[in-house]
Amino acid sequence: MRWREAIARFMVGRYGSDAFSRAMSVVAMVFLLLSWFVLPQVFYTLALILIVYSTFRMFSRNHQKRYKENLFYTKQVDKVKYFINKLKYRSSQSKTHHIYSCPQCKQKIRVPKGKGKIMIRCPKCQTEFMKKS
Ligand SMILES: [Zn+2]
């Protein structure tokens, strides 16, 4: 029990774990696994760096800086998620629709497929252009 108290006292005021350090631990594990198969020195070193850095963050007392790092990380993750969702949406749309860009203003225009050659009017700048749908 004394150990637990000592650890609890040691952790007071320290940053602890967040999404960023959890992600780093996962990546470190992946690198360790990879190091068994390819480029052992490279992946082992990278894994070690990640483990040391995420441990340093956990014990850090500079909450503001760690919080900002985590915020930066979650923003990047959101960007990737947004991008993946966009790709998913595009591929689900591509079965029934074509997406064309207006030659004038680059506005994206969604047109149903299989209607032959059609005249498309851009809703933004009213430019008309011919496309096969
Ligand atoms: Zn346009």
Side-chain angles (χ1 to χ4, degrees):
M1 283 307 113
R2 212 173 268 172
W3 263 109
R4 203 171 277 176
E5 271 172 43
I7 290 169
R9 206 171 302 140
F10 178 72
M11 286 307 290
V12 167
R14 296 185 194 265
Y15 186 69
S17 133
D18 60 14
F20 186 34
S21 54
R22 279 193 294 276
M24 276 199 286
S25 311
V26 171
V27 173
M29 289 306 138
V30 172
F31 281 176
L32 277 180
L33 276 175
L34 278 173
S35 74
W36 293 352
F37 305 103
V38 279
L39 302 168
Q41 283 100 335
V42 176
F43 281 113
Y44 189 75
T45 310
L46 286 174
L48 212 64
I49 290 169
L50 284 175
I51 290 165
V52 168
Y53 184 53
S54 63
T55 309
F56 155 76
R57 290 186 77 252
M58 264 173 72
F59 295 143
S60 169
R61 291 184 189 278
N62 191 343
H63 288 221
Q64 210 178 353
K65 205 167 174 199
R66 302 290 88 81
Y67 175 78
K68 275 185 186 158
E69 285 169 356
N70 191 47
L71 203 66
F72 178 78
Y73 161 75
T74 50
K75 268 187 192 160
Q76 304 314 305
V77 170
D78 283 348
K79 272 187 204 164
V80 173
K81 276 185 191 162
Y82 176 77
F83 181 72
I84 289 170
N85 282 337
K86 214 162 89 175
L87 286 185
K88 271 188 194 164
Y89 177 74
R90 287 247 182 95
S91 79
S92 77
Q93 289 292 305
S94 72
K95 283 164 203 144
T96 51
H97 291 80
H98 269 303
I99 309 277
Y100 290 118
S101 297
C102 169
Q104 195 69 35
C105 69
K106 307 293 172 213
Q107 166 74 39
K108 292 223 178 356
I109 303 160
R110 205 179 64 139
V111 176
K113 268 186 180 176
K115 301 266 190 267
K117 267 198 169 179
I118 50 164
M119 193 68 114
I120 302 164
R121 178 182 281 133
C122 171
K124 203 170 161 190
C125 68
Q126 311 303 319
T127 303
E128 289 193 331
F129 57 102
M130 190 85 99
K131 280 283 182 194
K132 227 180 89 185
S133 72

